[in-house]
Amino acid sequence: MKDRTQRHPVKTFILSTLTNGLPLFNKMPEINKEIKMCLGYVLHKTIKEKDKGRKRDLAIEMAAAFTACQAVQQRVIYSMFSRLANIELDFKAQIYKALSQYKHRALDKAVVVAIGTHADPHWRSAVHVALFEVVISIIIF
């Protein structure tokens, strides 16, 4: 499987992320540390999976994430980690997750209205990151 440009195998990016984290979070080493740990766990569980069909499905899910933008890659890594580690969310975490997903959908809708449906899909990720940085700066200061 190749990246979105169809020039590089996704395994190159998966291994780079396992080693260095996602470039999107270079200025946030704590997030990258968590991403590397979660990705390592997912790859370990995928390699050790006995059921060949499930192993294939897990590998395809991860590879497909690396054909998209880094924000999608992060979400898939966290999602797969939670599922494979059997982490149950408490009520507060479930509410937070639901609100976060709602925020992303609302933001996506606003971006599509503002820049149209044929705009580069990576604009949405850029807007999400910019919004995150603004919200964090408001909360911290």
Side-chain angles (χ1 to χ4, degrees):
M1 191 175 285
K2 303 269 185 185
D3 69 344
R4 63 185 172 84
T5 66
Q6 297 298 314
R7 290 186 287 188
H8 308 287
V10 294
K11 70 179 180 182
T12 304
F13 296 106
I14 293 172
L15 293 174
S16 174
T17 300
L18 182 60
T19 306
N20 305 312
L22 291 170
L24 181 64
F25 299 103
N26 278 344
K27 294 180 181 175
M28 300 174 211
E30 1 13 266
I31 293 176
N32 256 338
K33 182 179 179 183
E34 187 176 74
I35 289 170
K36 292 187 293 186
M37 184 274 303
C38 291
L39 179 57
Y41 182 84
V42 169
L43 294 175
H44 170 76
K45 292 295 268 187
T46 301
I47 290 166
K48 296 293 183 184
E49 178 61 49
K50 302 261 189 260
D51 180 346
K52 290 183 181 182
R54 184 162 190 254
K55 180 184 262 190
R56 183 193 68 242
D57 292 345
L58 291 169
I60 289 171
E61 183 178 357
M62 182 57 68
F66 277 83
T67 65
C69 64
Q70 293 175 42
V72 169
Q73 294 165 18
Q74 179 201 23
R75 285 193 293 273
V76 170
I77 290 167
Y78 283 165
S79 172
M80 290 181 73
F81 173 78
S82 296
R83 194 170 66 238
L84 292 172
N86 294 319
I87 295 174
E88 297 294 324
L89 299 177
D90 63 7
F91 182 71
K92 183 178 177 182
Q94 290 175 13
I95 294 297
Y96 178 80
K97 181 177 180 182
L99 289 174
S100 178
Q101 290 170 344
Y102 178 76
K103 176 198 73 159
H104 284 289
R105 286 195 303 272
L107 184 57
D108 284 345
K109 194 170 193 173
V111 169
V112 167
V113 167
I115 63 177
T117 57
H118 299 331
D120 183 356
H122 292 90
W123 271 96
R124 280 182 279 197
S125 294
V127 171
H128 285 242
V129 170
L131 178 65
F132 174 79
E133 291 173 356
V134 168
V135 170
I136 290 299
S137 68
I138 291 170
I139 292 171
I140 293 174
F141 298 109

